[in-house]
Structures are given as C-alpha cells and as structure tokens.
Amino acid sequence: MNEHAAVIAGAGPTGTMLGAELVLSGIDALVVERRTEPFPGGRSRGLHARTVEVLDQRGIVDRFLAQGQPAQVAAFGGTRLEIGDFPTRHPYGLALPQKQFERILAGWADELGVPVLRGIAVTGFTQDATGVVVELSDGSSVRAQYLVGCDGGSSLVRKAAGIGFPGSEATTSWLIAEVAWTEEPPWGFRTDAAGTHAIGRADDGLAGIVLVEPQLGPDAEPSLDDVKQALVRVFGTDFGIHSPNWISRFTDMTRQADRYRQGRVLLAGDAAHVHAPIGGQGLNLGLQDAVNLGWKLAQVIRGVSSEDLLDTYGAERHPVAARVLRTTMAQSALRRPDDHTRALSEIVAELLAADRARKRMAGELSGLAIHYDLGDGHPLLGRRMPDLDLVTSDGPLRVFALLHQARPALITFGAAKSADITPWASRVQVVEATYAGRWELPVIGEVPAPQAVLMRPDGYVAWVGAETADGLTEALSRWLGSA
C-alpha cells in the first residue's frame, strides 16, 4: 500500500492550493481528482483583493495579473464598493475566469512537484489513531496521516466522516452556460418577474449566459435544450445557440459544516461551506481556507506542533465562512424582483454611500478586513500584515517577500531585538528593519507603530511587541510548536 503524509480529495482551486502549500512546506502530499481534465467552466469570474495579496505572498501574483484585468469587483446588493483608497498594494479585485485561474495555479503546483492523480476518486476511508486508509475508485488504497476533503458541496469525505452540514435549502436556481451563437444576443442585463438575467462575452467568441429559473430547477444536470427554452422565455428567441463549452446549474442553498475536523479528516472549500455565488466569494473563501490550513497541517505532520494547532483552523475559518454565508444570503434576498425588495435595495444603496458603511462592507467582501480572534492587544493582532517597504542592512525588502516560502517571520523595529528565540531559530526568519511610514489597516485606518511583529506563514500577525518582548515566547510556542 502506498503511503503519503497527506491525501487531498479534489484538485479544484482549494485542493490545488492546499497541495502546493503542503509541498512548499516539505510535506509529501497526494491530490486525487475524479475528473481526467480540469472543469472547463466555473462560477467564479475573478478574485478579491485579499486573495490577490495571498498570491503575492507566495510570489506568483504577476502570473495572474498578466492574464486578468484589475477591477473594482466588490459590490453589495448591486451597489459597487470602491476600495481604491484602501491601504494595500492591490486596492482592486482581478477579473479572471476560474478556468484560467485554475490553469495558472495548476502550473505553479506542477512546478513545485505536487502529484495529482487524475481520473481517480476517493470512494471511502477508515481512520484510526495513527492514520487514514483511503479507498480509491480503481480498487487500490493509500495510507496517509491525514485526509483533507476538498471535494465540493456534495463531499463524499464530509459525509463519510459523519460531519453535519446544516443550513437552508435552495429557493432559487440559475442556469449558467458558455455557448456559441448564430444570432448575436443583446449583451448585458435584463430583468423580468423571475429576476435579473445576464449575457456577456466569454472566451473564444462564446457567450456567457446566466438565467434565473422561474421555479427551482431539478437536481439533474441541465441540457442545451434547457438553456434554449430559458432564453426563449426571457428574450423570445434562443439566438441559435449551439456547441456548449459547459452548462451547469447553481442555487442559493446555504450550508456549512458543523465542524471542519473529525479526527484525522479535515474539510476545506466547498466541502465545508456552500452558498449562492453572488458576490464572488466562493473561490476566494476556499483558497484562503487552504492557506490557513496548509502550514498548520505541515507543522503537525512534521511533529513540531501538536494536533491542537489543527483546531485553530476551524476556530478561525468557520466564523469567516459563516459571515460570508450570511452576506450572500442577504445579497440573494436583495435580488428579488418585487417592488418591496427594490425599495429595500434603494435604501441599502443610500446607506452604503456613507463612507464608513462603504469601507466596512468593502473590507468584508474584499477579505482585507478579516480578523482572527487571537486575543486582546494591538489592532494588528490577528489581522493581515501590511506589505510594507522595509529598510534592512541588506537593502530594501517587501514584507510579502518574506512569505514566498510559507515561512513565519519575526520583524523587529526596536525593543524585541533582545528576545531570545534560539529554540525556534531554524523555523522563523528574523529581520531587523526600519519603516518610516504610517501603519494603516483597511477599514480601521492608522494604528500605532509596533516595535516588533511575529508574522505567521499565512501573513497574519500572531504577536505584537511594544516596549518589551513580553508574550513572544508564548506566541512562538503556540504557533511554531515546541522549542
């Protein structure tokens, strides 16, 4: 029986990112994907600002920027929310279809040597105190220390682990497709009694179509005829569509796993949470699940941290996803086409015109305002570390450059230089630097300049030093493991 440190079920954006994070940390991880080729479509049309930052942290953002289009993509209830004034190197989202995103991400993972077994599905597993035996669709089995389900909303891993998936049933469904056309359709939006429909230009001269169904659609995969009938209902013609690249259906079903870990089995991405794609949150949420989990799982596998570190994954990411689910449910409600909802939407738009409200909601949707509860203290604690231009004895240094290899860093600006971190010296980068600019955080604004910060591999601040290094040893033990 083959053995790996970790097996990941699913090679979508979340599974691929997690595989890359583990291999980057020196972990033997195997990704298993039931499809022989990547899915040709995808619901996501782009990335939010924090996800762009995450890619910058790993030193690969230029690959995505070269293929996408920077744009203001944050919106709530149809109201565009500008983030151009946010203190980040990337005060924008990135318009980039999911299939292109997956191709670029897979290229990076391949460079790292992430093994992906395609055309093979996880069909079951058994676990004990020492590991997991994962059963595969070709009749073979593989043993791993941990199994991570990144296998979508209908996750077999989640179901087999007995993890609950509470939430609300679907009330609305949409048909989505990329197709060729004979008669050029009217590009843009059209609203009727069912809702707002859209037709836009896709790659290779195809039309991207999103149509609200008047009644909740069946669970079965939709056909080209279903799309044609829906077009006739809305536009009076099907525009002679043909040769579909892909066709799918999505709903506003909203569910979240009641826990993200069961023993040696964990969940990430859509396996842990599903919701309507309104607001473009899904891919971003799953990718950041992977970046939060990857370094923690790597440390536990290497034996430097106890399994308790894995519990912080769910403790941190579950509330973030719960908030996203709440936001997408609210946005779904604001899209109803009746007069009462339109009136409510107009009032919401007026409220979001206020700068404070705009910043708060835009910070949430962009992911730039994520705050993990790491205790009381400096405003930086538990928030993303700004990508500052530091000055060191070796020359200028960007903060995000310290994260390219997914390693933590202790950046000192003063008093913390006297702290003894010898037991962790091989695991943490130590940088003495100066920074003369303002310290600013999205939504919050200017914050006091720290004397030192301990930055986790995911870019979040785990400790902030003031006049002394009090608490640093405890933070190092908590996040980097035993001395």
Side-chain angles (χ1 to χ4, degrees), residues 278-356:
I278 297 170
Q281 297 288 297
L283 184 150
N284 297 268
L285 189 59
L287 213 73
Q288 292 176 53
D289 283 350
V291 173
N292 184 287
L293 174 60
W295 65 275
K296 295 175 180 178
L297 184 55
Q299 287 185 186
V300 173
I301 289 173
R302 289 202 305 268
V304 299
S305 292
S306 72
E307 288 194 352
D308 292 345
L309 185 62
L310 296 178
D311 293 332
T312 69
Y313 164 62
E316 292 176 357
R317 294 303 298 171
H318 195 282
V320 172
R323 183 70 182 181
V324 168
L325 267 59
R326 178 186 176 191
T327 302
T328 55
M329 289 177 72
Q331 294 210 66
S332 295
L334 288 171
R335 287 203 171 195
R336 292 171 184 158
D338 60 273
D339 291 340
H340 292 82
T341 304
R342 277 194 290 270
L344 176 61
S345 296
E346 291 170 1
I347 291 174
V348 169
E350 292 172 4
L351 294 173
L352 289 173
D355 203 46
R356 184 176 178 182

Side-chain angles (χ1 to χ4, degrees), residues 419-465:
D420 180 13
I421 67 161
T422 302
W424 296 274
S426 64
R427 286 181 244 158
V428 61
Q429 306 168 84
V430 179
V431 178
E432 296 183 9
T434 59
Y435 176 70
R438 298 167 61 193
W439 286 75
E440 290 185 273
L441 293 174
V443 183
I444 293 175
E446 190 169 359
V447 299
Q451 292 295 310
V453 293
L454 176 63
M455 182 173 60
R456 305 189 324 189
D458 56 2
Y460 287 84
V461 176
W463 172 83
V464 181

Side-chain angles (χ1 to χ4, degrees), residues 220-433:
E221 285 294 315
S223 66
L224 182 62
D225 283 341
D226 291 327
V227 180
K228 286 184 175 182
Q229 292 171 20
L231 285 170
V232 170
R233 184 176 62 251
V234 176
F235 295 94
T237 176
D238 63 14
F239 306 107
I241 64 169
H242 60 91
S243 306
N245 189 20
W246 57 273
I247 301 171
S248 186
R249 172 181 282 118
F250 64 86
T251 75
D252 63 347
M253 181 176 69
T254 305
R255 295 185 178 277
Q256 184 176 19
D258 56 23
R259 58 194 184 281
Y260 284 10
R261 176 189 170 205
Q262 178 63 43
R264 290 179 172 269
V265 177
L266 299 108
L267 304 176
D270 289 352
H273 37 70
V274 295
H275 54 85
I278 297 170
Q281 297 288 297
L283 184 150
N284 297 268
L285 189 59
L287 213 73
Q288 292 176 53
D289 283 350
V291 173
N292 184 287
L293 174 60
W295 65 275
K296 295 175 180 178
L297 184 55
Q299 287 185 186
V300 173
I301 289 173
R302 289 202 305 268
V304 299
S305 292
S306 72
E307 288 194 352
D308 292 345
L309 185 62
L310 296 178
D311 293 332
T312 69
Y313 164 62
E316 292 176 357
R317 294 303 298 171
H318 195 282
V320 172
R323 183 70 182 181
V324 168
L325 267 59
R326 178 186 176 191
T327 302
T328 55
M329 289 177 72
Q331 294 210 66
S332 295
L334 288 171
R335 287 203 171 195
R336 292 171 184 158
D338 60 273
D339 291 340
H340 292 82
T341 304
R342 277 194 290 270
L344 176 61
S345 296
E346 291 170 1
I347 291 174
V348 169
E350 292 172 4
L351 294 173
L352 289 173
D355 203 46
R356 184 176 178 182
R358 186 264 305 178
K359 287 183 176 179
R360 178 171 178 176
M361 185 55 69
E364 183 170 322
L365 293 173
S366 66
L368 293 171
I370 290 174
H371 178 215
Y372 298 139
D373 184 7
L374 304 187
D376 298 328
H378 194 282
L380 280 168
L381 189 62
R383 291 185 167 89
R384 52 176 276 289
M385 176 68 179
D387 185 23
L388 308 176
D389 289 308
L390 305 176
V391 177
T392 74
S393 59
D394 295 324
L397 176 68
R398 278 182 57 191
V399 165
F400 282 5
L402 295 169
L403 296 168
H404 287 182
Q405 300 302 314
R407 293 186 62 207
L410 175 64
I411 308 173
T412 64
F413 302 92
K417 293 178 183 177
S418 61
D420 180 13
I421 67 161
T422 302
W424 296 274
S426 64
R427 286 181 244 158
V428 61
Q429 306 168 84
V430 179
V431 178
E432 296 183 9

Side-chain angles (χ1 to χ4, degrees), residues 11 31-38 116-123 136-139:
V31 182
V32 179
E33 169 56 50
R34 65 182 179 85
R35 296 180 183 273
T36 56
E37 297 291 338
V116 180
L117 195 59
R118 292 195 175 274
I120 302 293
V122 172
T123 58
L136 304 178
S137 57
D138 64 355

